[in-house]
Amino acid sequence: MSEHIPFGYKCLNCGKLHYPKHGRCLQCKHREFEKVPVSSEGTLITFTQLKAPPSGIESRSLFLGVIDLGDVRYTGQIEVESIDSLHIGMKLVATWKQVRTIDNRSIYGFVWGPP
Amino acid sequence: MRDVAIIGAGIGSRWGKYSGSLIEMMAKASLSAIDDAGTDEIDAVFVANMGAGRINNQTALGSALIDYLNLFPAVGASIENGPASGATAARIGYMAIASGVHDVVMITGGEKMRVAPGPVVTDFVATMAHPEAEYIHGITFPSLGAFLARLYFEKYGVTSEDLARVAIKNHQNGLKNPHAHIQQKITMEGILTSREAKLNNPMIADPLHLYDMCPVSDGSASLILCSMDKVQEFERTPIIKFAGTGQGMDTMAVHEREDPTFLKAVKIASDQAFKMAGLTREDIDLAEIHDAFEILELAELESAGFYERGKSHLSIREGETELLGKFPVNTSGGLKARGHPVGATGVAQLCELVWQLRGEAGERQVPNDPKHGYAVNFGGFGNNVVSTILSRITG
Ligand SMILES: [Zn+2]
């Protein structure tokens, strides 16, 4: 499966989906998982506009939020023009992009935006 | 298990910016606690620190402090548990004495954070977040604080004014604490309602402003713990008992928590500490709460069981948690005004409880002869929390 679709780690014993990865299931402590695609569209649970980003982020301000995909949640950057375009409960979809640099390496991840 | 007493407490120098070395700063607090206890016959030293290896290029601080202060033949180690390092080191000191391995233990917490530029310190603190699910996306601790605050605003009707009330209260207390980093009176007009407020108090992580969060500080604090059966050898009265300790955990990625507004680890740690101390919430006379963000003071008071969920902001509106209120919270000024040198914070919270319970807190002494104090030291964004209860048993 492509790296560029949001995914979860499904417990091969009880079926619980996790994101991020754990070595043992949070529900049944089983050790084997399958990486499965999950919905790339979700609902915004909470958000912020961060005006003091850490080193490694080039922009001076960053929109961040927690997105509920139904089976799992993701935390990530959101691409909008202003905080006024964000509200709890709005729909967002994922795209795969560079999210920051760490020690001059480009780091990629899911970035969220209105559909 | 043996009971444990605290016989010495010290914060050697005012928190804020320290120009000497990290070890010198920790030595000042240590000597102040040693002088307070009246003994330097220490069996073990546990140093609480989060980031010296990264921001001060120094590791193995337990060894370094024993060497610098010639505490030989004391043995030691450095304890790292994020911003809960301080109370964790105290808890380990408690265990070392209760188990019978050591009789007298010194706990010294210290952090020298102001050597690095703001974005670097922010990034250093953010390394506690989940590396894949949070950190790489630019998640910082202020952004996690903002997520929590927005949910509280939405769910419980907490407002920016409520957060400002917490900050104003803690600054008022900080003005009476000679060790506090920020000794500045703030007003609702100055930080929220006037035209200048936007300049004085810019938005950092919406809805959190600069004054809704603690500063970045250098600072150190120290405690001397002693087995209760040896405490008569020292003339330090009244005796403060290390009455309860608890530690709780939660998922590392905040988004994996079923209800992100409930701080499960605070509840677990607190329930354990109360059970061990044999006390109820009503017995507690004052509390030191880990207000790295002012929203956390409200949320921790609820998760620790002092207020119903979604109700603690009503107590700040009514002044209940002020110095002269019926349940004083953060008499030291809290992290907001005393400052937050991460490894030192949990130790300084216990120093404040010791001074208050002894009646030695000076201008900020709470009235009515307090007997029991509670502290919560919050690590990660609430995935590793230590609660402590101290009680005065003589005097
Ligand atoms: Zn399972």
Side-chain angles (χ1 to χ4, degrees):
Chain A
M1 85 181 238
S2 161
E3 280 276 347
H4 308 293
I5 300 166
F7 53 88
Y9 298 90
K10 186 178 183 180
C11 172
L12 291 180
N13 180 49
C14 75
K16 182 179 167 62
L17 270 158
H18 302 73
Y19 183 77
K21 189 177 183 176
H22 294 267
R24 298 206 302 164
C25 175
L26 287 182
Q27 190 161 275
C28 76
K29 301 183 179 174
H30 189 73
R31 301 179 187 186
E32 293 159 299
F33 298 87
E34 178 189 11
K35 194 170 171 181
V36 297
V38 295
S39 172
S40 55
E41 184 177 305
T43 309
L44 185 61
I45 294 178
T46 185
F47 59 91
T48 186
Q49 180 179 14
L50 178 65
K51 295 186 174 180
S55 48
I57 300 276
E58 274 169 31
S59 59
R60 295 184 59 190
S61 142
L62 207 57
F63 298 100
L64 294 160
V66 176
I67 300 96
D68 191 345
L69 302 178
D71 296 315
V72 292
R73 295 177 190 151
Y74 268 65
T75 299
Q77 297 173 17
I78 309 170
E79 286 185 322
V80 281
E81 289 299 314
S82 111
I83 192 150
D84 300 330
S85 352
L86 294 176
H87 60 266
I88 291 175
M90 75 187 286
K91 297 283 172 217
L92 292 169
V93 295
T95 49
W96 183 255
K97 285 190 174 171
Q98 182 178 329
V99 288
R100 74 180 292 176
T101 58
I102 297 175
D103 299 334
N104 298 318
R105 280 177 302 123
S106 298
I107 306 290
Y108 286 78
F110 294 103
V111 172
W112 303 83
Chain B
M1 288 212 297
R2 302 192 295 178
D3 281 345
V4 175
I6 298 184
I7 58 168
I11 296 181
S13 50
R14 182 179 166 184
W15 286 11
K17 169 96 178 122
Y18 188 80
S19 55
S21 75
L22 172 63
I23 291 295
E24 280 169 26
M25 183 178 71
M26 292 201 295
K28 276 197 168 183
S30 306
L31 290 174
S32 163
I34 284 171
D35 291 344
D36 185 39
T39 183
D40 64 353
E41 288 180 21
I42 290 159
D43 303 320
V45 175
F46 296 120
V47 167
N49 172 269
M50 176 180 163
R54 187 176 165 115
I55 53 179
N56 312 111
N57 300 308
Q58 185 168 10
T59 57
L61 301 172
S63 324
L65 187 61
I66 289 169
D67 174 76
Y68 185 73
L69 287 178
N70 181 15
L71 292 169
F72 300 114
V75 295
S78 194
I79 309 287
E80 191 270 307
N81 188 21
S85 297
T88 303
R91 180 174 156 85
I92 290 171
Y94 164 81
M95 292 172 182
I97 295 171
S99 65
V101 171
H102 296 303
D103 289 333
V104 181
V105 172
M106 182 170 86
I107 309 299
T108 298
E111 205 82 45
K112 196 164 149 58
M113 306 176 78
R114 295 187 67 95
V115 287
V120 173
V121 173
T122 301
D123 186 56
F124 148 65
V125 174
T127 59
M128 273 187 294
H130 194 288
E132 170 194 337
E134 294 176 334
Y135 174 75
I136 63 164
H137 300 283
I139 287 293
T140 60
F141 274 63
S143 40
L144 295 174
F147 288 168
L148 178 68
R150 189 172 304 283
L151 289 168
Y152 254 79
F153 283 19
E154 187 87 2
K155 196 169 168 185
Y156 297 126
V158 172
T159 64
S160 291
E161 285 76 13
D162 292 324
L163 302 186
R165 285 183 186 101
V166 179
I168 290 166
K169 166 184 74 74
N170 290 346
H171 274 260
Q172 266 166 357
N173 295 346
L175 277 170
K176 297 181 169 150
N177 181 354
H179 300 122
H181 176 180
I182 311 287
Q183 297 183 14
Q184 175 198 21
K185 181 176 158 67
I186 56 170
T187 62
M188 192 64 83
E189 294 71 40
I191 64 167
L192 215 56
T193 55
S194 68
R195 202 189 289 184
E196 298 74 44
K198 276 200 166 61
L199 288 172
N200 296 340
N201 191 19
M203 197 68 93
I204 302 292
D206 196 299
L208 301 185
H209 306 81
L210 181 66
Y211 280 89
D212 296 324
M213 51 190 79
C214 68
V216 171
S217 319
D218 299 342
S220 58
S222 187
L223 294 165
I224 311 288
L225 274 54
C226 172
S227 169
M228 195 64 85
D229 53 32
K230 306 261 176 190
V231 87
Q232 288 76 15
E233 293 173 22
F234 310 102
E235 288 175 6
R236 199 62 184 92
T237 53
I239 294 170
I240 305 300
K241 183 181 176 186
F242 202 100
T245 169
Q247 187 169 8
M249 308 294 291
D250 203 347
T251 63
M252 190 173 177
V254 175
H255 73 224
E256 283 200 283
R257 302 177 195 166
E258 205 169 324
D259 177 358
T261 62
F262 187 64
L263 307 170
K264 187 172 85 179
V266 173
K267 176 178 165 45
I268 296 168
S270 303
D271 286 351
Q272 280 175 14
F274 276 101
K275 189 175 173 208
M276 178 176 154
L279 297 171
T280 68
R281 271 68 176 175
E282 289 69 37
D283 293 321
I284 298 297
D285 299 305
L286 77 157
E288 285 287 303
I289 302 293
H290 192 112
D291 62 324
F293 307 100
E294 301 317 277
I295 187 65
L296 282 177
E297 180 169 314
L298 301 177
E300 288 168 21
L301 283 170
E302 292 168 14
S303 300
F306 292 103
Y307 292 99
E308 275 176 58
R309 290 175 71 171
K311 295 279 173 65
S312 66
H313 62 289
L314 304 175
S315 69
I316 187 80
R317 289 181 192 176
E318 285 154 16
E320 207 171 295
T321 52
E322 289 175 8
L323 192 59
L324 300 177
K326 80 173 194 205
F327 180 43
V329 171
N330 283 331
T331 57
S332 63
L335 281 61
K336 180 74 192 82
R338 183 184 50 215
H340 186 27
V342 281
T345 285
V347 182
Q349 289 178 320
L350 300 184
C351 288
E352 178 69 10
L353 294 183
V354 168
W355 292 325
Q356 290 283 356
L357 296 176
R358 285 177 181 168
E360 295 174 358
E363 257 193 281
R364 63 184 191 285
Q365 178 65 46
V366 304
N368 306 329
D369 201 24
K371 286 191 176 56
H372 306 289
Y374 165 94
V376 62
N377 192 195
F378 190 82
F381 200 80
N383 62 323
N384 195 330
V385 172
V386 178
S387 291
T388 311
I389 295 172
L390 303 185
S391 298
R392 174 164 49 84
I393 59 167
T394 58

